[in-house]
Amino acid sequence: MTNDDDGVGNVVFVVMDTVRKSHLSVYGYDKPTTPGLERFAEEAAVFEQAVSPAPWTLPVHASLFTGMYPSEHGASQENPYLEGATTLAESLSAEGYDTACYSSNAWITPYTHLTDGFDDQDNFFEVMPGDFLSGPLAKAWKAMNDNDKLRKVADYLVSVGNKIHEYTASGEGADSKTPQVIDRTIDFIDDADSEYFAFINLMDAHLPYHPPEEYRKEFAPNVDSTKVCQNSKEYNCGARDISDKEWGAIEGLYDAEIRHIDDQLQRLFSWLKENDEWDDTMVVVCADHGELHGEHDLYGHEFCIYDPLVNVPLMVKHPEMEPGTREDQQVELIDLYHTVLDHTGVEAERSTKPFESVRSLLDADYREFADDQVQGGEYAFVEYYRPVVELKQLEQKASDAGISLDTDSRFYSRMRAARRPDAKYIRNERIGDEFYHLDEDPEEEDDAWGEGSDEEVELEEALSAFEESVGGEWNEVEDDDVLDEMSDDAKDRLQDLGYID
């Protein structure tokens, strides 16, 4: 059942894709990347220790929509679909909510099932517009994808659309789709006949970085975005060096992209205020993951689960939350699923993850789990399945440069971590485990694994208990099998995001 008071259950949920917390002025960054979010923070709770369950889009969004950890919902590059779970949007829609999802992220489509339950959605592909994949046609499209024979037809249609989209939406002259996302969101809310759940993903800060000129002038003057390294695999495999000056240029472009996101969010927030949609509406702003710019000799958000990727920004405005507060308690992004259910009063019927009040940020007993619950409230958990697609591109870039990659390296390793604000234990599949005292070593530069400290023992035990609760150790998967079984559509979507050539 939804709340009785009109508007009380409304939700606007924003994911800033690939936005790193340390590059936001609202979190203390010394460049003015987020003046709008600084104003938003005066009305919201700002969380310093929010942890994402994975370092990339698909598993994180699947977790946001189901309340499950990646190994529970199963969406990964080894299986790039969310299957067998009732999504947050499905539960809300079943109770009469108007639901919409707008994004230019190629993972968030009916193809991956992440848009299941949204009455309206648009991925802003030029050739495959969202109207084609929305409403009644979305059901037909899903039926095509669920049928082995018809799926080949669907794969072909999207493949053609993606190839043209890649041509028209890449390069220095590419237009950001974020203004269109905001426009559609405003139109959706303005036309809503009942309480609503509006979910948006903003992709500007994802590689490649080609920000609008007005923000490039401020943050990256005289930088030609087509001349700097925009392919993370070239750097990660050792085929391309990046100087400090070039890193500065890359980060300037990145900051400009974030500034554009901030400007567009304030346009949305201003409209909500001007149209009496603000006061009782729950507004969530977070990132799904961050980005590395040379730290740990890595570029992008692949091959590790260090804090710049998984300690993400999170801000929540809610009538029951004290505005302008800074929260140091560790929280998990998967708990936003329960928080939205709590706010709306909707039961997660048919869901494989029912509502848990102690996982809601609105509950006075948040994360005070029962003693017999494996996942203790003070721990957050992160999972990273083998990135088989990026790995294949990395191998190709290395081969072209005459470089041999060590198969017993982080490139070939799946990873899990248990984290507290003071420490973190990382389990690696192909290389040694790692342990960091985050309170003393926030950059994770001094691996203290094996010291046998109380913190290390506690975190390793917590991680082992978590692993047991989600099925134990990983099952071995052959990379070639994954790519052979992956459809042309999935491969083209990865190409559109720059994961493969």
Side-chain angles (χ1 to χ4, degrees):
M1 298 292 291
T2 57
N3 294 316
D4 293 332
D5 297 332
D6 290 341
V8 172
N10 293 334
V11 180
V12 174
F13 199 127
V14 179
V15 172
M16 304 181 295
D17 205 292
T18 323
V19 168
R20 178 171 167 167
K21 191 179 77 170
S22 63
H23 275 254
L24 305 185
S25 56
V26 69
Y27 279 96
Y29 189 45
D30 61 3
K31 297 179 181 179
T33 52
T34 53
L37 287 179
E38 289 177 54
R39 293 191 293 273
F40 176 68
E42 296 174 0
E43 303 179 68
V46 179
F47 294 87
E48 300 283 353
Q49 299 291 339
V51 180
S52 178
W56 70 287
T57 295
L58 177 62
V60 175
H61 283 74
S63 291
L64 290 173
F65 293 162
T66 66
M68 302 179 190
Y69 291 102
S71 57
E72 293 177 312
H73 60 61
S76 70
Q77 283 192 15
E78 297 172 2
N79 178 58
Y81 316 102
L82 176 62
E83 299 174 315
T86 302
T87 66
L88 183 59
E90 286 178 307
S91 293
L92 294 174
S93 182
E95 290 294 332
Y97 267 70
D98 286 344
T99 58
C101 175
Y102 302 121
S103 169
S104 55
N105 191 309
W107 286 110
I108 306 173
T109 66
Y111 178 77
T112 60
H113 298 301
L114 286 182
T115 57
D116 287 0
F118 288 105
D119 304 319
D120 189 40
Q121 69 89 31
D122 200 328
N123 55 34
F124 295 93
F125 282 13
E126 279 83 351
V127 176
M128 192 66 68
D131 288 345
F132 182 78
L133 298 177
S134 299
L137 282 176
K139 296 179 181 178
W141 184 256
K142 181 178 178 181
M144 288 179 70
N145 280 287
D146 288 341
N147 182 286
D148 290 340
K149 293 181 179 179
L150 293 178
R151 190 168 201 154
K152 294 180 180 179
V153 178
D155 288 349
Y156 174 76
L157 291 173
V158 180
S159 174
V160 172
N162 275 337
K163 284 181 170 61
I164 300 177
H165 171 74
E166 183 183 10
Y167 176 78
T168 58
S170 62
E172 185 177 10
D175 293 328
S176 166
K177 299 300 178 290
T178 292
Q180 294 170 256
V181 171
I182 299 302
D183 289 344
R184 284 295 297 272
T185 304
I186 289 173
D187 289 343
F188 162 74
I189 294 173
D190 199 30
D191 293 339
D193 294 326
S194 61
E195 292 174 320
Y196 55 79
F197 174 49
F199 183 91
I200 62 176
N201 173 290
L202 307 179
M203 279 287 288
D204 300 70
H206 193 290
L207 280 168
Y209 311 140
H210 300 295
E213 182 63 25
E214 61 180 299
Y215 305 113
R216 187 184 311 185
K217 286 182 179 179
E218 179 178 0
F219 293 95
N222 304 315
V223 173
D224 184 343
S225 63
T226 66
K227 297 297 177 59
V228 299
C229 181
Q230 300 262 22
N231 189 303
S232 61
K233 286 59 168 198
E234 291 181 348
Y235 174 81
N236 289 335
C237 78
R240 169 77 181 265
D241 289 330
I242 299 179
S243 67
D244 289 344
K245 181 179 179 181
E246 187 175 6
W247 278 127
I250 291 169
E251 291 192 349
L253 294 171
Y254 181 70
D255 289 344
E257 297 279 28
I258 293 173
R259 180 65 182 85
H260 182 227
I261 291 173
D262 183 80
D263 180 67
Q264 290 298 309
L265 281 180
Q266 292 319 298
R267 182 164 69 89
L268 172 61
F269 294 166
S270 294
W271 183 90
L272 291 170
K273 292 176 180 179
E274 292 166 2
N275 289 271
D276 297 323
E277 297 285 348
W278 184 255
D279 290 343
D280 293 326
T281 296
M282 176 182 177
V283 180
V284 177
V285 179
C286 68
D288 54 350
H289 57 81
E291 188 84 330
L292 289 172
H293 292 128
E295 300 89 347
H296 302 279
D297 295 322
L298 292 169
Y299 184 12
H301 46 275
E302 304 146 0
F303 312 122
C304 74
I305 48 178
Y306 295 120
D307 261 22
L309 301 189
V310 300
N311 178 204
V312 294
L314 171 63
M315 290 159 272
V316 180
K317 183 196 77 69
H318 190 276
E320 297 177 16
M321 286 186 168
E322 184 177 351
T325 58
R326 293 271 172 168
E327 301 289 344
D328 292 325
Q329 180 183 9
Q330 182 169 263
V331 303
E332 294 187 278
L333 288 192
I334 65 169
D335 294 343
L336 294 172
Y337 167 88
H338 300 278
T339 306
V340 171
L341 291 177
D342 194 4
H343 168 68
T344 60
V346 169
E347 294 291 335
E349 296 180 2
R350 310 182 312 282
S351 175
T352 50
K353 183 63 68 170
F355 170 66
E356 297 179 52
S357 62
V358 292
R359 281 193 174 274
S360 168
L361 292 170
L362 307 178
D363 196 278
D365 296 325
Y366 176 63
R367 295 191 75 81
E368 293 184 10
F369 298 152
D371 292 339
D372 60 351
Q373 186 162 341
V374 172
Q375 297 95 306
E378 63 182 316
Y379 300 103
F381 300 98
V382 183
E383 298 188 282
Y384 187 34
Y385 281 68
R386 187 175 302 144
V388 295
V389 179
E390 287 102 325
L391 183 56
K392 287 298 178 185
Q393 189 187 19
L394 189 79
E395 290 174 333
Q396 185 60 55
K397 295 295 183 184
S399 177
D400 292 344
I403 297 171
S404 296
L405 298 177
D406 182 3
T407 57
D408 288 326
S409 68
R410 66 173 53 258
F411 300 135
Y412 294 82
S413 182
R414 287 176 281 189
M415 304 170 183
R416 283 183 174 134
R419 184 191 186 276
R420 295 189 315 217
D422 66 322
K424 183 177 179 182
Y425 192 101
I426 302 175
R427 179 102 68 214
N428 295 303
E429 184 183 31
R430 299 287 185 96
I431 60 177
D433 291 356
E434 301 167 76
F435 174 73
Y436 299 96
H437 292 283
L438 296 179
D439 52 356
E440 301 171 359
D441 178 29
E443 305 300 323
E444 296 166 288
E445 295 177 341
D446 183 14
D447 182 4
W449 180 84
E451 68 176 17
S453 64
D454 290 343
E455 294 86 352
E456 181 181 4
V457 171
E458 291 164 358
L459 280 151
E460 196 281 330
E461 289 179 348
L463 181 56
S464 294
F466 169 78
E467 290 174 316
E468 186 65 26
S469 74
V470 296
E473 297 181 359
W474 302 281
N475 294 320
E476 191 66 25
V477 176
E478 294 297 331
D479 295 350
D480 289 338
D481 292 343
V482 173
L483 291 175
D484 289 344
E485 294 174 4
M486 190 175 291
S487 69
D488 291 339
D489 182 12
K491 294 175 184 176
D492 285 332
R493 290 185 181 281
L494 292 171
Q495 184 183 53
D496 183 66
L497 283 174
Y499 289 120
I500 60 176
D501 288 333

